[in-house]
Amino acid sequence: MELIAIKKGKILHVQAVGRLDASWSDYFTDTFLGYIRNGDHQLVINAAEIHFLSSAGIRSLVRIHKELMKLKGRLQIINANEFVISTLQMTGFGMWLTTSVIQADDESSHEIDKAEKLPENCYALPVTKPMTLKKNENWVPWKKIDPEHITHLHFPSGTFGLGIGSPVSTEAFENLLFGDYLAVCGNVVYQRPEEKSKPDYLLKLENFVPDLYAIQSLYAEGEMSHLLRFTPNEDGTPVRLSGLVKQTFSVISASQIVFVILAEIDGLVGAHLIQSPTKIEESELPTGLKMRDWLSFSGERIHAKEQALVVGIASNSFNINDSTSNQSPSSMSGLSLHAHTAVFPYQPLQNGQINLEEQVQKFLNGPPPKALLHLIEDNRPGNGLGESSFIRGAIWFAPVKPEEAKQ
Amino acid sequence: MLEISGISKTFFPQTVNEVKALRQVDLRIEEGSFTAIIGTNGSGKSTLLNAIAGTFIPDDGIIRVDGKNITEWSEYKRAQLIGRVFQNPFAGTAADMSIAENIVMAMRRGQSRPLTRAVTQKAKSEIADRVRMLNMGLEDRLDNAIGTLSGGQRQALTLLMATWLKPKLLLLDEHTAALDPKSAAKVAELTKQIIESERLTAMMVTHSMQQAVDLPDRIVMMHRGQIVEDYQKENKKRVRIPDLLDTFDRVQKRELFDETVAALLTEQYF
Amino acid sequence: MNLIIGAFTIGLILSLLSLGMLISFRMIKFTDITVDGSLTLGAALTAVLISSGWSPWVATFLAFIAGMAAGSITGVLYTKFKIQEILAGILMMTALYSVNLRIMGRSNIPLLDTKTVSEIPEKLLLDFTDGNKNLLFFGWQVSLIDLAVFISSLILCALIGWLLNKFLLTHFGTVLRATGNNVQMVRAQGVNNNKMIIFSLALSNGLVALSGALLAQYQGFADVQMGIGMMVWGLASIIIGEALVGKTTIGIAIAGTILGTILFRLLIAIALRWGLNPNDLKLVTALFVFAALVAPQWFKSLHKKLSKNSHHA
């Protein structure tokens, strides 16, 4: 089996040569899933030289078809010989056969908005409720926590957030376990402050609004104004987080944005709490190796090829945290940003304009998240790991005006 | 049964090659338990086994067997108490000597060696009986030099030799690592059989997570000369390979977390 | 004929040396150079004791003990002081040179009109032949005294060979052999491998000194230089023996060593008879051992090459 792929417009034409049977079906499936992963969702198989199609081959085609359906893509088979045609029709898959290639659906409905002169792959979204931001830094590291530091946060739809929080509980506050969390579209992913455990998550349901006790939070409410789809840079290198965020600042004029990224991971660098700050006994920031007891550091670029759901806040002009706090997020290349990410097993994203809420639901209802990290730019000279980067995906963002944190 | 308290060993002290192979290791092994020791290369797992076997005397700490302090005992003296199987299938047997002669030596492990004929007919038939249980057809080849046997056969014989006289403690140092998969499985099975039927107290260093999960009833994980994890009883029953890998990752991650990372996180996390 | 009997006798006496070396060189795989000194030690001690009136039997026995002491010291140097085996042997050999000179008081001692251990068999044989000092042996005239010595050497040699075989097959002998094979294994079986090495070297050098004691009595003098090159000599004999009969069992290896020593002695006697300069003897011996050590490997690689070529064809 030999597969030769040529891109014509939005359609990937794959010429298949040989027998599509049990011995080649795995190769065939993997190659096609690779095309899909690379963002080609309109696939045409030129079957002129497929001499034989077995049931394993059909199974492989079904697998590819299903994958494409999830992404609103299409599989077409052209130039098939009599044998292949009769096999497909007999098994009820005649719909793949076409005599001439059907062009991809026009995805250019957004071009009406092109008045704004958005770059390619950028979509302006209708906004009825602009994004607002609330900051809560009741707890200042490294104070002993007392109940007054705790804010009870609710996350209805249309809220985003990140910070350090604990599930709501009737336990004495000393027993609360504060860990990193993120919230997106009213869903919460929370990492227990333990090294081993996988994150917990609270899903928005009809009558249920997820809530948390937070000691530090960035809480945004409103709608995303733009969507930007990205793929690897022209030289094939992955997209760095700071580069991506800078791109958003070139689309909208704002000094501060809230963003959500859904993307295939190239590598993440980050840390998370492994011991709840409620365990603090001395009000003194742990130094040196003592920090090991509180934070886990990724140590290398991790979770490659998996999917990230990032929630973050970035500013290009001032530190997003007020100066009275000693909380100073990474200052990545002139940017100040604070982002948390949840890691999910890989699932491909549909091309073009996609809906944030739908996509988030898809991930949160799929296999559970594997990790949650506070992203760090490791700029240590010599052996620094750099910052997190992504291969392809989507970033939704909106300008935001800060609201004064209530005291 | 075995009590190790605070043993340390530094190889090549005060040189550029200084290796702190064991750092204040404490370990208690219960009578009749079977413990696996796992860890990365250089984690000190084999060094720990060698310290128990007496290959070297530790710089610090005490080793007790049944309350007896054996820390200063020489390797050969400890052989009264300890049976051993090495990683190298050639290490446990004398290649130029026959199967019978090798086993006859093991029949008096740690005892006096009188000036009477070693390989008698009586000894030979006793040997043949036990060798037959290995199901390797070796009982008809007792006069052949052990060097003519395969690694798996030699390792099976070494295991038989180490347990011929019931040892207080059986030490297995990656004893299946140098074998082909089939022989390794066979020797692992044999190990389980012998340990169970003789109710031996055993410690096994292994590279194979599968083996660590399947065979013993306790898993001790070492890293940088220290015990970093100890799965016993219920925890051991529950533990699976991915858990062990996770723990490895965690331990290594902790290792990468140095002062520079602490400074970075102080700046960026808080 | 006398020449042949002489060669046989010396061969038998020296086979004790070879048997000693069989223990060190082959059983515990220890290249022991002490041999050169302990052979002389045995000879010197016997000569001095006999010439000052001691019983030759006691003198010979004491020589054996002295050899054991020398071997033990080499063993202790190697095991306790961690000196390399060759160096330990060289140290002991060098030290023994002075010790031997001290024992003898000069560089050689003749043993002309003194009693030796061959006295009793001589007497027995003389009684048997009614005092006839020469005998016709298949048409050859043979000195009765030489024959007596030959027969007694033969008996002694067979006895020691038999004992050694018995010994090596005991529990103790088995671990001794294993020590040279796999030290780690021996330790794991609870054997003090250092003690085994010291004991083996003692036994080995005891036999070598015994050989020296008998040699001195046979040739009628002890010379401080008589041990030089004897180690290579013993080696050559062991190698010839292995080539003759192999080493499949301990008994065969022992018999082979004795046969090898005799054969080697005969070859030397013949070579000397044909006009080999005695001064060249050590060189020839060394070359022979070199060839014997190298030839097997050389044949192996040659064989490989040949079979490779045939594959290509």
Side-chain angles (χ1 to χ4, degrees):
Chain A
M1 170 69 58
E2 197 182 345
L3 298 171
I4 306 152
I6 302 158
K7 185 104 181 201
K8 292 181 187 163
K10 292 201 161 168
I11 296 176
L12 188 74
H13 287 254
V14 184
Q15 194 182 356
V17 181
R19 296 164 60 90
L20 182 47
D21 55 16
S23 56
W24 286 104
S25 63
D26 282 346
Y27 167 74
F28 188 86
T29 314
D30 291 346
T31 311
F32 272 77
L33 292 182
Y35 297 147
I36 296 169
R37 195 165 182 149
N38 281 331
D40 286 308
H41 300 166
Q42 298 294 330
L43 299 175
V44 171
I45 299 171
N46 183 343
E49 291 184 67
I50 295 183
H51 311 302
F52 178 75
L53 177 63
S54 77
S55 58
I58 292 178
R59 204 170 149 264
S60 166
L61 288 168
V62 169
R63 174 83 210 281
I64 295 160
H65 174 79
K66 278 188 176 166
E67 199 67 27
L68 287 173
M69 282 303 98
K70 281 192 240 166
L71 304 166
K72 301 209 165 65
R74 178 182 283 155
L75 176 67
Q76 303 175 62
I77 298 174
I78 57 167
N79 299 335
N81 66 19
E82 278 307 309
F83 175 78
V84 171
I85 290 174
S86 67
T87 310
L88 284 176
Q89 275 169 347
M90 212 161 59
T91 47
F93 294 111
M95 75 271 197
W96 292 331
L97 297 163
T98 46
T99 40
S100 59
V101 175
I102 302 166
Q103 289 305 316
D105 299 337
D106 200 356
E107 301 168 358
S108 54
S109 57
H110 69 288
E111 281 184 9
I112 310 150
D113 305 327
K114 276 276 171 169
E116 273 184 55
K117 293 248 171 184
L118 290 173
E120 203 191 350
N121 293 326
C122 191
Y123 309 84
L125 308 171
V127 175
T128 52
K129 192 177 173 203
M131 198 69 84
T132 56
L133 178 67
K134 267 188 245 167
K135 265 187 283 183
N136 165 345
E137 280 158 9
N138 295 343
W139 175 66
V140 177
W142 189 253
K143 278 187 183 153
K144 227 175 132 76
I145 295 193
D146 72 64
E148 285 172 19
H149 293 147
I150 297 170
T151 312
H152 193 170
L153 291 177
H154 291 266
F155 295 94
S157 324
T159 55
F160 304 86
L162 63 156
I164 300 173
S166 145
V168 171
S169 135
T170 51
E171 291 261 1
F173 99 100
E174 295 87 0
N175 295 335
L176 294 176
L177 293 174
F178 286 95
D180 299 270
Y181 76 86
L182 64 79
V184 53
C185 301
N187 303 286
V188 172
V189 184
Y190 153 81
Q191 172 75 51
R192 285 163 68 90
E194 284 169 5
E195 196 136 22
K196 274 187 198 166
S197 62
K198 304 262 181 275
D200 291 337
Y201 51 112
L202 298 167
L203 299 189
K204 173 191 70 169
L205 292 169
E206 266 169 69
N207 297 322
F208 175 71
V209 176
D211 57 348
L212 273 181
Y213 290 150
I215 51 171
Q216 277 198 346
S217 69
L218 292 164
Y219 182 90
E221 191 164 13
E223 283 168 319
M224 292 293 175
S225 67
H226 289 79
L227 162 65
L228 178 74
R229 299 304 306 266
F230 61 93
T231 51
N233 298 323
E234 271 161 30
D235 55 357
T237 54
V239 181
R240 283 149 47 100
L241 177 60
S242 64
L244 194 58
V245 171
K246 271 188 190 162
Q247 248 181 300
T248 66
F249 279 114
S250 69
V251 173
I252 52 174
S253 57
S255 59
Q256 190 168 213
I257 59 157
V258 169
F259 62 89
V260 172
I261 301 171
L262 255 177
E264 183 182 348
I265 297 165
D266 170 63
L268 295 181
V269 180
H272 69 85
L273 276 173
I274 53 171
Q275 193 170 180
S276 171
T278 39
K279 301 280 187 298
I280 294 173
E281 279 167 6
E282 296 153 29
S283 292
E284 197 177 300
L285 194 67
T287 51
L289 294 179
K290 272 192 209 153
M291 187 83 91
R292 279 184 182 177
D293 300 332
W294 296 94
L295 287 177
S296 160
F297 179 60
S298 57
E300 53 189 343
R301 303 178 63 80
I302 54 174
H303 295 303
K305 306 279 176 203
E306 297 185 280
Q307 199 88 15
L309 171 60
V310 187
V311 177
I313 288 168
S315 158
N316 65 354
S317 57
F318 60 92
N319 194 320
I320 44 177
N321 295 285
D322 61 20
S323 51
T324 55
S325 160
N326 59 1
Q327 183 177 28
S328 55
S330 49
S331 52
M332 295 185 190
S333 341
L335 282 173
S336 163
L337 69 80
H338 185 176
H340 285 189
T341 183
V343 178
F344 290 89
Y346 176 76
Q347 280 187 50
L349 290 180
Q350 188 186 327
N351 284 337
Q353 187 175 347
I354 48 178
N355 180 282
L356 172 60
E357 184 136 9
E358 271 173 28
Q359 297 299 328
V360 166
Q361 288 308 329
K362 190 173 97 180
F363 276 96
L364 286 172
N365 289 312
K370 302 169 100 172
L372 193 142
L373 289 172
H374 175 124
L375 296 181
I376 297 282
E377 181 185 7
D378 183 0
N379 49 12
R380 287 176 295 162
N383 56 353
L385 300 168
E387 59 172 309
S388 301
S389 56
F390 306 97
I391 296 171
R392 72 182 69 242
I395 177 168
W396 290 264
F397 53 98
V400 65
K401 282 213 175 89
E403 233 177 61
E404 270 312 305
K406 54 183 175 187
Q407 291 303 309
Chain B
M1 217 302 291
L2 174 72
E3 240 178 294
I4 294 170
S5 39
I7 61 165
S8 298
K9 177 71 186 177
T10 304
F11 291 114
F12 319 112
Q14 274 130 37
T15 69
V16 279
N17 296 324
E18 182 177 284
V19 185
K20 290 204 164 108
L22 295 175
R23 312 171 190 228
Q24 296 286 324
V25 175
D26 295 312
L27 186 64
R28 275 181 79 100
I29 300 285
E30 300 302 324
E31 184 91 50
S33 68
F34 182 9
T35 306
I37 304 174
I38 57 175
T40 43
N41 286 331
S43 59
K45 54 190 195 306
S46 287
T47 312
L48 178 65
L49 222 59
N50 287 336
I52 298 167
T55 311
F56 58 83
I57 307 288
D59 302 335
D60 207 2
I62 291 174
I63 302 171
R64 283 197 180 85
V65 171
D66 282 345
K68 238 181 294 175
N69 184 343
I70 63 161
T71 318
E72 301 289 326
W73 284 25
S74 60
E75 190 179 356
Y76 63 84
K77 193 171 174 195
R78 293 186 202 192
Q80 298 168 13
L81 310 171
I82 295 171
R84 290 167 81 187
V85 184
F86 307 94
Q87 176 178 8
N88 181 349
F90 305 126
T93 47
D96 294 348
M97 301 174 71
S98 71
I99 297 178
E101 282 176 319
N102 270 281
I103 294 181
V104 149
M105 284 189 267
M107 288 164 82
R108 304 190 69 90
R109 193 191 69 241
Q111 303 176 356
S112 66
R113 309 279 170 172
L115 288 172
T116 53
R117 195 175 176 86
V119 183
T120 56
Q121 277 310 318
K122 183 167 159 278
K124 244 172 144 173
S125 68
E126 199 187 332
I127 290 168
D129 285 346
R130 297 238 327 230
V131 169
R132 193 169 290 119
M133 289 191 287
L134 300 178
N135 277 327
M136 287 177 162
L138 297 177
E139 58 276 8
D140 305 323
R141 299 167 63 185
L142 293 185
D143 289 326
N144 290 24
I146 268 196
T148 61
L149 306 184
S150 73
Q153 289 170 325
R154 286 182 75 164
Q155 211 61 331
L157 286 174
T158 310
L159 188 64
L160 190 67
M161 285 165 62
T163 55
W164 193 282
L165 297 179
K166 184 178 173 179
K168 276 254 150 234
L169 179 65
L170 175 65
L171 300 180
L172 308 164
D173 189 356
E174 295 193 45
H175 67 306
T176 62
L179 304 178
D180 62 273
K182 218 176 144 191
S183 309
K186 169 112 201 193
V187 171
E189 178 54 37
L190 198 62
T191 308
K192 195 179 160 80
Q193 251 177 41
I194 291 180
I195 288 175
E196 276 173 9
S197 65
E198 308 270 321
R199 295 213 180 80
L200 297 175
T201 312
M203 291 174 77
M204 171 176 76
V205 165
T206 180
H207 252 129
S208 156
M209 302 268 175
Q210 192 64 53
Q211 230 173 47
V213 169
D214 290 350
L215 298 180
D217 41 42
R218 180 175 174 190
I219 301 177
V220 167
M221 189 185 286
M222 292 195 67
H223 186 69
R224 297 261 176 140
Q226 285 175 317
I227 292 175
V228 291
E229 198 69 61
D230 190 349
Y231 296 97
Q232 292 190 60
K233 303 192 175 91
E234 288 310 305
N235 283 334
K236 160 62 182 67
K237 276 180 202 149
R238 230 179 293 135
V239 78
R240 295 290 169 264
I241 292 175
D243 304 325
L244 294 179
L245 290 173
D246 273 1
T247 311
F248 264 127
D249 274 357
R250 190 160 49 80
V251 165
Q252 271 171 339
K253 237 159 77 178
R254 209 174 148 85
E255 198 62 41
L256 290 168
F257 196 134
D258 57 14
E259 265 98 354
T260 64
V261 173
L264 182 77
L265 295 183
T266 312
E267 185 190 318
Q268 292 192 23
Y269 189 91
F270 295 114
Chain C
M1 189 63 206
N2 275 333
L3 177 82
I4 293 176
I5 288 192
F8 263 94
T9 311
I10 294 184
L12 283 168
I13 291 172
L14 287 178
S15 67
L16 298 180
L17 158 91
S18 306
L19 287 177
M21 286 190 58
L22 185 72
I23 296 171
S24 59
F25 195 71
R26 282 290 189 245
M27 299 297 160
I28 61 162
K29 309 250 160 61
F30 190 104
T31 310
D32 180 22
I33 301 181
T34 320
V35 168
D36 281 15
S38 51
L39 186 98
T40 318
L41 177 67
L45 195 64
T46 320
V48 169
L49 291 178
I50 290 178
S51 54
S52 54
W54 289 56
S55 146
W57 294 96
V58 174
T60 306
F61 179 72
L62 288 177
F64 176 72
I65 300 295
M68 286 190 82
S72 323
I73 296 173
T74 307
V76 169
L77 289 181
Y78 172 71
T79 56
K80 295 280 184 289
F81 296 100
K82 312 268 181 250
I83 297 170
Q84 295 166 30
E85 55 180 76
I86 301 276
L87 193 57
I90 289 175
L91 287 180
M92 199 53 210
M93 179 188 79
T94 309
L96 279 177
Y97 190 83
S98 299
V99 171
N100 293 337
L101 272 176
R102 275 276 173 192
I103 290 172
M104 296 200 290
R106 53 199 149 119
S107 60
N108 58 59
I109 294 177
L111 288 172
L112 288 176
D113 295 318
T114 48
K115 294 175 179 176
T116 69
V117 285
S118 56
E119 202 180 20
I120 296 167
E122 268 169 39
K123 254 188 208 148
L124 282 175
L125 216 58
L126 274 175
D127 289 348
F128 189 66
T129 55
D130 301 328
N132 194 348
K133 286 215 169 184
N134 278 314
L135 223 98
L136 269 183
F137 195 72
F138 295 110
W140 299 79
Q141 196 163 52
V142 176
S143 147
L144 194 76
I145 294 172
D146 283 358
L147 193 64
V149 176
F150 168 69
I151 291 171
S152 50
S153 310
L154 187 66
I155 292 169
L156 182 71
C157 200
L159 183 72
I160 288 179
W162 181 76
L163 278 174
L164 192 60
N165 182 42
K166 276 274 171 202
F167 167 71
L168 289 173
L169 290 175
T170 62
H171 286 283
F172 191 90
T174 307
V175 288
L176 185 148
R177 283 182 290 139
T179 306
N181 221 285
N182 186 341
V183 176
Q184 193 177 16
M185 178 260 186
V186 162
R187 273 204 297 266
Q189 297 306 332
V191 175
N192 185 340
N193 57 303
N194 285 344
K195 271 191 195 157
M196 290 318 286
I197 289 172
I198 294 171
F199 176 81
S200 303
L201 289 177
L203 182 61
S204 163
N205 282 288
L207 286 173
V208 172
L210 181 61
S211 173
L214 295 176
L215 191 63
Q217 294 175 59
Y218 175 76
Q219 61 187 18
F221 70 92
D223 184 285
V224 78
Q225 307 240 19
M226 69 191 283
I228 293 175
M230 287 323 266
M231 186 217 149
V232 179
W233 228 96
L235 261 186
S237 307
I238 292 173
I239 291 167
I240 293 175
E242 282 170 358
L244 278 179
V245 297
K247 46 179 175 179
T248 41
T249 68
I250 301 302
I252 286 175
I254 289 173
T257 302
I258 297 173
L259 285 178
T261 319
I262 295 168
L263 184 66
F264 188 56
R265 184 62 222 182
L266 275 175
L267 287 174
I268 298 273
I270 290 166
L272 287 171
R273 187 68 182 264
W274 281 353
L276 176 76
N277 185 340
N279 290 337
D280 294 341
L281 198 57
K282 306 270 187 217
L283 175 67
V284 172
T285 313
L287 285 175
F288 171 80
V289 171
F290 168 75
L293 290 175
V294 170
Q297 292 167 25
W298 189 73
F299 272 120
K300 228 184 251 172
S301 68
L302 189 75
H303 185 76
K304 239 184 223 165
K305 253 182 219 163
L306 284 177
S307 61
K308 221 184 239 172
N309 286 344
S310 66
H311 279 304
H312 282 301

